[in-house]
Amino acid sequence: MIAEIGHYALVLALALALVQSTVPMVGARLHDPVLMNVARSTALAQLLFVGLSFLALVLLYVTSDFSVANVYENSHSLKPLIYKITGVWGNHEGSMLLWVSILALFGGLVAIFGRNLPLTLRANALAVQGWVATAFYLFILLTSNPFLRLANPPMEGRDLNPVLQDPGLAIHPPMLYLGYVGFSISFSFAIAALIEGRIDAAWARWVRPWTLVAWMFLTLGIAMGSYWAYYELGWGGWWFWDPVENASLMPWLAGTALLHSAVVMEKRNALKVWTVLLAILTFSLSLLGTFLVRSGVLTSVHAFATDPTRGVFILMILCIFIGGSLSLYAWRASSLKQGGLFAPISREGALVLNNLLLTTACATVFIGTLYPLGLEVLTGERISVGAPFFNLTFAPLFVPLLLALPFGPLLAWKRGDLLGAAQRLYAAGITALVAVAVLWAWVRGGSAFAPLAIGLAVFVIVGSLTDIAERSMLFRMPLGIALRRARGLPRAAWGTMFAHLGVGAALIGIVCESTWNTELISTLKPGDVAKIAGYELKLDDLGQRQGPNFGEMVARFTVSESGKVIGTMTPSKRSFAARAMSTTEAALLSRGFSQLYISLGDTAASGAIAVRIYHKPMVLLIWLGPLLMAFGGLLSLSDRRLRVGAPKPARAARALQAAE
């Protein structure tokens, strides 16, 4: 009964999406407020029904109802409750239901919090949301129904993929989808503005908070996915340039450019055409990621589905929305009024340079990801584009981007003083040079680029702090006055600082881990000692342990430094009988921002076990950086200026009564 309720609720959500996609747009054409307000009520009702459908699927998993095919394929009665819940979106059908649930959630939030929007803009934007929702509801109901019943229900399920039985599954996919789907709001507002033929600074102010929310979640989702791969897969890698990893990076790069472009448009009423184009491209790249994961064109650890029918259906959605939106853009963009002239040396100019480099980087990833697929389709030849290509193309783009990063906030709007900004960055430059010199002397060999890259990161970090110091006059006024000025700064200024700090911190982590990572592969028996990077790791014993739905072999290591015990590490290997699969559970020991990492291999007949041990210096900065970026986004989102809506037109004065 629960499955049928969930299925019926999904059908009703489709019907509401069809109404939402047509009636409000007709009302906007006829200037009928009643019809336009249908968008708000249908968006909220759609959220209710799709939420009911998602809840029904969760209940089916929690109760282990193996009469439902999706539950049978991806669950097990002995699986812990947390993994029964997260297993809902650990498969193609459930993840698509989560996708449309988040889409309905964002539509509902626009309906609730968009009261200050012009009625026609809100109606058109929610209608576009209805188009997107209709397409994906049809995709789910026709090709990926999660509520299909089995004629002969089995007694037990096949269990979830063991790699997915991890707390990371509870965080990574929802965060990622909140980012992907969140950009649909920017897309909908862009299409609505093109339909209406009106775009101005107020439009940018409405779009920017939604873009910021999506960007924050996508940043956290990518970071969590990277950390999950790092500790779960057992080889210590945090980024592989996997095509699906690239598919999440592309909308992030485009979304970052969109954020900066929206700032210029809001402040200076400039870059209108570019901002609208970036809003369209960012969501289009999110849809492209959906296609790559679910079409079967890729062989990847991320790939959910290989059914050609699903791939063709998603390709049709891709062509309709990307082709249609770009066609509309080509038709209407020339009619958009330009404005906001500025000099090349200005804050606007710095943001334009930022966007040029980010969009070029995005195009590079796009080509590197899709070129092998296109070549295979056209010629049948298979090639792989891996890390060497991306490393060689990214560095030339990101070096000037990072060099320019501290200059942007220090330049004035419209016309800036480059020499003045450079003078204010003297301290940052000197600190960076000192860092390079110290590292060069300390390393004494190895990569010559590593100290330079870390010096660049230090320049970005100190330069970010310089902006706040200059605004608060930290070194030119008494400390108390400077602190009061700092407290009075807009939260967006602090948000920018933290976001840029995050970029510098992540760069330090990437360089240190890539350059000075130490690896030891050995075979150990109980009592043996392995030495790496000044640490001694003694294998104390090997034991067996039984989990809820798996058997586990656990190794216990005692870690010492200079003869002093600093901790224990317990890596393990888990065997899942239902899936006949095993996973490696790495053990981590953090020392500051650095980590010791141990993963287990196979056991020998002699009782020895293969181990892989890493020392990864400053590796945690790789993920601290995105956390700082997201925190910066949160601070910017809390800025009261983003909560101030467009001014409402004054009510017409009551006409004077004629004298008697």
mmCIF file with all atom_site columns, all heavy atoms in Angstrom, residues 554-565:
data_model
loop_
_atom_site.group_PDB
_atom_site.id
_atom_site.type_symbol
_atom_site.label_atom_id
_atom_site.label_alt_id
_atom_site.label_comp_id
_atom_site.label_asym_id
_atom_site.label_entity_id
_atom_site.label_seq_id
_atom_site.pdbx_PDB_ins_code
_atom_site.Cartn_x
_atom_site.Cartn_y
_atom_site.Cartn_z
_atom_site.occupancy
_atom_site.B_iso_or_equiv
_atom_site.pdbx_formal_charge
_atom_site.auth_seq_id
_atom_site.auth_comp_id
_atom_site.auth_asym_id
_atom_site.auth_atom_id
_atom_site.pdbx_PDB_model_num
ATOM 1  N N   . VAL A 1 554 ? 40.444 -7.056 11.446 1.00 0.00 ? 554 VAL A N   1
ATOM 2  C CA  . VAL A 1 554 ? 40.937 -5.792 11.986 1.00 0.00 ? 554 VAL A CA  1
ATOM 3  C C   . VAL A 1 554 ? 42.400 -5.943 12.381 1.00 0.00 ? 554 VAL A C   1
ATOM 4  O O   . VAL A 1 554 ? 42.788 -6.922 13.023 1.00 0.00 ? 554 VAL A O   1
ATOM 5  C CB  . VAL A 1 554 ? 40.107 -5.346 13.209 1.00 0.00 ? 554 VAL A CB  1
ATOM 6  C CG1 . VAL A 1 554 ? 40.590 -3.997 13.713 1.00 0.00 ? 554 VAL A CG1 1
ATOM 7  C CG2 . VAL A 1 554 ? 38.624 -5.280 12.864 1.00 0.00 ? 554 VAL A CG2 1
ATOM 8  N N   . ALA A 1 555 ? 43.215 -4.983 11.956 1.00 0.00 ? 555 ALA A N   1
ATOM 9  C CA  . ALA A 1 555 ? 44.616 -4.923 12.370 1.00 0.00 ? 555 ALA A CA  1
ATOM 10 C C   . ALA A 1 555 ? 44.784 -3.761 13.344 1.00 0.00 ? 555 ALA A C   1
ATOM 11 O O   . ALA A 1 555 ? 44.209 -2.688 13.146 1.00 0.00 ? 555 ALA A O   1
ATOM 12 C CB  . ALA A 1 555 ? 45.525 -4.729 11.163 1.00 0.00 ? 555 ALA A CB  1
ATOM 13 N N   . ARG A 1 556 ? 45.569 -3.983 14.389 1.00 0.00 ? 556 ARG A N   1
ATOM 14 C CA  . ARG A 1 556 ? 45.802 -2.937 15.377 1.00 0.00 ? 556 ARG A CA  1
ATOM 15 C C   . ARG A 1 556 ? 47.274 -2.534 15.353 1.00 0.00 ? 556 ARG A C   1
ATOM 16 O O   . ARG A 1 556 ? 48.151 -3.371 15.543 1.00 0.00 ? 556 ARG A O   1
ATOM 17 C CB  . ARG A 1 556 ? 45.391 -3.402 16.775 1.00 0.00 ? 556 ARG A CB  1
ATOM 18 C CG  . ARG A 1 556 ? 45.466 -2.311 17.847 1.00 0.00 ? 556 ARG A CG  1
ATOM 19 C CD  . ARG A 1 556 ? 44.699 -2.729 19.097 1.00 0.00 ? 556 ARG A CD  1
ATOM 20 N NE  . ARG A 1 556 ? 45.253 -3.943 19.673 1.00 0.00 ? 556 ARG A NE  1
ATOM 21 C CZ  . ARG A 1 556 ? 46.258 -3.928 20.592 1.00 0.00 ? 556 ARG A CZ  1
ATOM 22 N NH1 . ARG A 1 556 ? 46.769 -2.795 21.021 1.00 0.00 ? 556 ARG A NH1 1
ATOM 23 N NH2 . ARG A 1 556 ? 46.693 -5.091 21.070 1.00 0.00 ? 556 ARG A NH2 1
ATOM 24 N N   . PHE A 1 557 ? 47.510 -1.239 15.083 1.00 0.00 ? 557 PHE A N   1
ATOM 25 C CA  . PHE A 1 557 ? 48.854 -0.681 15.036 1.00 0.00 ? 557 PHE A CA  1
ATOM 26 C C   . PHE A 1 557 ? 49.058 0.289  16.205 1.00 0.00 ? 557 PHE A C   1
ATOM 27 O O   . PHE A 1 557 ? 48.157 1.072  16.534 1.00 0.00 ? 557 PHE A O   1
ATOM 28 C CB  . PHE A 1 557 ? 49.084 0.091  13.729 1.00 0.00 ? 557 PHE A CB  1
ATOM 29 C CG  . PHE A 1 557 ? 49.246 -0.769 12.513 1.00 0.00 ? 557 PHE A CG  1
ATOM 30 C CD1 . PHE A 1 557 ? 48.136 -1.245 11.835 1.00 0.00 ? 557 PHE A CD1 1
ATOM 31 C CD2 . PHE A 1 557 ? 50.502 -1.079 12.037 1.00 0.00 ? 557 PHE A CD2 1
ATOM 32 C CE1 . PHE A 1 557 ? 48.280 -2.028 10.705 1.00 0.00 ? 557 PHE A CE1 1
ATOM 33 C CE2 . PHE A 1 557 ? 50.661 -1.874 10.906 1.00 0.00 ? 557 PHE A CE2 1
ATOM 34 C CZ  . PHE A 1 557 ? 49.535 -2.341 10.236 1.00 0.00 ? 557 PHE A CZ  1
ATOM 35 N N   . THR A 1 558 ? 50.232 0.229  16.800 1.00 0.00 ? 558 THR A N   1
ATOM 36 C CA  . THR A 1 558 ? 50.646 1.241  17.773 1.00 0.00 ? 558 THR A CA  1
ATOM 37 C C   . THR A 1 558 ? 51.624 2.185  17.082 1.00 0.00 ? 558 THR A C   1
ATOM 38 O O   . THR A 1 558 ? 52.618 1.755  16.500 1.00 0.00 ? 558 THR A O   1
ATOM 39 C CB  . THR A 1 558 ? 51.321 0.597  18.990 1.00 0.00 ? 558 THR A CB  1
ATOM 40 O OG1 . THR A 1 558 ? 50.388 -0.276 19.645 1.00 0.00 ? 558 THR A OG1 1
ATOM 41 C CG2 . THR A 1 558 ? 51.785 1.658  19.981 1.00 0.00 ? 558 THR A CG2 1
ATOM 42 N N   . VAL A 1 559 ? 51.327 3.480  17.147 1.00 0.00 ? 559 VAL A N   1
ATOM 43 C CA  . VAL A 1 559 ? 52.113 4.488  16.443 1.00 0.00 ? 559 VAL A CA  1
ATOM 44 C C   . VAL A 1 559 ? 52.982 5.228  17.452 1.00 0.00 ? 559 VAL A C   1
ATOM 45 O O   . VAL A 1 559 ? 52.484 5.726  18.472 1.00 0.00 ? 559 VAL A O   1
ATOM 46 C CB  . VAL A 1 559 ? 51.205 5.477  15.692 1.00 0.00 ? 559 VAL A CB  1
ATOM 47 C CG1 . VAL A 1 559 ? 52.047 6.466  14.886 1.00 0.00 ? 559 VAL A CG1 1
ATOM 48 C CG2 . VAL A 1 559 ? 50.249 4.720  14.771 1.00 0.00 ? 559 VAL A CG2 1
ATOM 49 N N   . SER A 1 560 ? 54.286 5.312  17.151 1.00 0.00 ? 560 SER A N   1
ATOM 50 C CA  . SER A 1 560 ? 55.238 6.002  18.028 1.00 0.00 ? 560 SER A CA  1
ATOM 51 C C   . SER A 1 560 ? 56.020 7.035  17.225 1.00 0.00 ? 560 SER A C   1
ATOM 52 O O   . SER A 1 560 ? 56.242 6.877  16.020 1.00 0.00 ? 560 SER A O   1
ATOM 53 C CB  . SER A 1 560 ? 56.202 5.014  18.670 1.00 0.00 ? 560 SER A CB  1
ATOM 54 O OG  . SER A 1 560 ? 55.512 3.984  19.368 1.00 0.00 ? 560 SER A OG  1
ATOM 55 N N   . GLU A 1 561 ? 56.442 8.081  17.914 1.00 0.00 ? 561 GLU A N   1
ATOM 56 C CA  . GLU A 1 561 ? 57.308 9.099  17.341 1.00 0.00 ? 561 GLU A CA  1
ATOM 57 C C   . GLU A 1 561 ? 58.409 9.413  18.348 1.00 0.00 ? 561 GLU A C   1
ATOM 58 O O   . GLU A 1 561 ? 58.106 9.793  19.482 1.00 0.00 ? 561 GLU A O   1
ATOM 59 C CB  . GLU A 1 561 ? 56.522 10.367 16.994 1.00 0.00 ? 561 GLU A CB  1
ATOM 60 C CG  . GLU A 1 561 ? 57.373 11.437 16.307 1.00 0.00 ? 561 GLU A CG  1
ATOM 61 C CD  . GLU A 1 561 ? 56.584 12.704 16.026 1.00 0.00 ? 561 GLU A CD  1
ATOM 62 O OE1 . GLU A 1 561 ? 55.562 12.932 16.715 1.00 0.00 ? 561 GLU A OE1 1
ATOM 63 O OE2 . GLU A 1 561 ? 56.974 13.481 15.128 1.00 0.00 ? 561 GLU A OE2 1
ATOM 64 N N   . SER A 1 562 ? 59.662 9.186  17.951 1.00 0.00 ? 562 SER A N   1
ATOM 65 C CA  . SER A 1 562 ? 60.825 9.386  18.832 1.00 0.00 ? 562 SER A CA  1
ATOM 66 C C   . SER A 1 562 ? 60.705 8.544  20.093 1.00 0.00 ? 562 SER A C   1
ATOM 67 O O   . SER A 1 562 ? 61.036 8.993  21.197 1.00 0.00 ? 562 SER A O   1
ATOM 68 C CB  . SER A 1 562 ? 60.984 10.874 19.176 1.00 0.00 ? 562 SER A CB  1
ATOM 69 O OG  . SER A 1 562 ? 61.130 11.649 18.009 1.00 0.00 ? 562 SER A OG  1
ATOM 70 N N   . GLY A 1 563 ? 60.188 7.340  19.958 1.00 0.00 ? 563 GLY A N   1
ATOM 71 C CA  . GLY A 1 563 ? 60.045 6.425  21.072 1.00 0.00 ? 563 GLY A CA  1
ATOM 72 C C   . GLY A 1 563 ? 58.833 6.651  21.954 1.00 0.00 ? 563 GLY A C   1
ATOM 73 O O   . GLY A 1 563 ? 58.600 5.889  22.890 1.00 0.00 ? 563 GLY A O   1
ATOM 74 N N   . LYS A 1 564 ? 58.017 7.664  21.673 1.00 0.00 ? 564 LYS A N   1
ATOM 75 C CA  . LYS A 1 564 ? 56.835 7.988  22.470 1.00 0.00 ? 564 LYS A CA  1
ATOM 76 C C   . LYS A 1 564 ? 55.586 7.573  21.714 1.00 0.00 ? 564 LYS A C   1
ATOM 77 O O   . LYS A 1 564 ? 55.405 7.943  20.555 1.00 0.00 ? 564 LYS A O   1
ATOM 78 C CB  . LYS A 1 564 ? 56.799 9.479  22.785 1.00 0.00 ? 564 LYS A CB  1
ATOM 79 C CG  . LYS A 1 564 ? 55.618 9.899  23.639 1.00 0.00 ? 564 LYS A CG  1
ATOM 80 C CD  . LYS A 1 564 ? 55.629 11.402 23.882 1.00 0.00 ? 564 LYS A CD  1
ATOM 81 C CE  . LYS A 1 564 ? 54.414 11.831 24.692 1.00 0.00 ? 564 LYS A CE  1
ATOM 82 N NZ  . LYS A 1 564 ? 54.396 13.325 24.893 1.00 0.00 ? 564 LYS A NZ  1
ATOM 83 N N   . VAL A 1 565 ? 54.711 6.791  22.388 1.00 0.00 ? 565 VAL A N   1
ATOM 84 C CA  . VAL A 1 565 ? 53.462 6.347  21.774 1.00 0.00 ? 565 VAL A CA  1
ATOM 85 C C   . VAL A 1 565 ? 52.518 7.537  21.625 1.00 0.00 ? 565 VAL A C   1
ATOM 86 O O   . VAL A 1 565 ? 52.242 8.249  22.580 1.00 0.00 ? 565 VAL A O   1
ATOM 87 C CB  . VAL A 1 565 ? 52.799 5.235  22.611 1.00 0.00 ? 565 VAL A CB  1
ATOM 88 C CG1 . VAL A 1 565 ? 51.450 4.860  22.011 1.00 0.00 ? 565 VAL A CG1 1
ATOM 89 C CG2 . VAL A 1 565 ? 53.703 4.014  22.691 1.00 0.00 ? 565 VAL A CG2 1
#
